[in-house]
Amino acid sequence: MICKPDAVERGLVGEIIGRLERRGLRLVRAELRQVDKETAGSHYGEHLGKPFYDSLIAHITRGPVLLMVVEGPEGTWQVVRTMMGATNPAAAAPGTVRGDLALSMTENLIHGSDSAESARREIGLFFP
Ligand code: CMP
């Protein structure tokens, strides 16, 4: 999981981690780090060429993010995605991080892996 620069800037990292912990998930690794453009490009490679790609890269690299590895039962990636809410905060349900705390598609506070395979790939990218 990544708490994006807007989450760090708005002081919402504690709120986001608190939600995960209260749910019963465990933070096993975390690092505040400024992501460079090359790493951001690898991370978001599937979005290359899309109209929002440049703003996505600009956003994730504009300030420190909190990179996190969260552990829990099998399928934890799915639990995290559900807690995050829809990518577009306008459609995110109340009770989710985005539904409660975000309004912008680019500044949507968090990123969560969309499969167990993506989680492995992303953990390998950010914690080689
Ligand atoms: P994230 O979960 O980090 O994965 C890709 C990101 O691209 C997504 O969150 C949004 O921040 C962003 N994104 C996806 N679709 C759009 C869109 N249509 N317009 C702007 N940003 C988008």
Side-chain angles (χ1 to χ4, degrees), residues 57-77:
I57 299 297
H59 172 55
I60 200 81
T61 58
R62 83 166 178 219
V65 299
L66 187 73
L67 302 165
M68 296 185 283
V69 180
V70 174
E71 258 182 23
E74 200 181 329
T76 286
W77 67 269

Side-chain angles (χ1 to χ4, degrees), residues 92-114:
T96 63
V97 172
R98 290 166 175 161
D100 290 346
L101 304 170
L103 280 172
S104 150
M105 184 89 114
T106 302
E107 308 215 357
N108 62 0
L109 296 173
I110 45 179
H111 168 84
S113 310
D114 62 5

Side-chain angles (χ1 to χ4, degrees), residues 32-125:
L32 198 64
R33 191 193 303 169
Q34 181 120 20
V35 175
D36 60 47
K37 290 223 181 309
E38 191 188 340
T39 308
S42 301
H43 174 60
Y44 281 132
E46 67 183 286
H47 298 298
L48 184 65
K50 294 183 185 169
F52 58 85
Y53 180 78
D54 288 349
S55 56
L56 181 58
I57 299 297
H59 172 55
I60 200 81
T61 58
R62 83 166 178 219
V65 299
L66 187 73
L67 302 165
M68 296 185 283
V69 180
V70 174
E71 258 182 23
E74 200 181 329
T76 286
W77 67 269
Q78 218 156 13
V79 174
V80 170
R81 295 275 295 189
T82 304
M83 292 179 74
M84 286 165 43
T87 304
N88 181 357
T96 63
V97 172
R98 290 166 175 161
D100 290 346
L101 304 170
L103 280 172
S104 150
M105 184 89 114
T106 302
E107 308 215 357
N108 62 0
L109 296 173
I110 45 179
H111 168 84
S113 310
D114 62 5
S115 67
E117 192 190 325
S118 301
R120 273 189 291 276
R121 187 179 67 78
E122 291 170 8
I123 291 167
L125 176 67

Side-chain angles (χ1 to χ4, degrees), residues 18-25 79 82-83:
R19 287 176 178 229
L20 298 170
E21 289 183 328
R22 288 198 298 277
R23 184 72 190 268
L25 301 176
V79 174
T82 304
M83 292 179 74

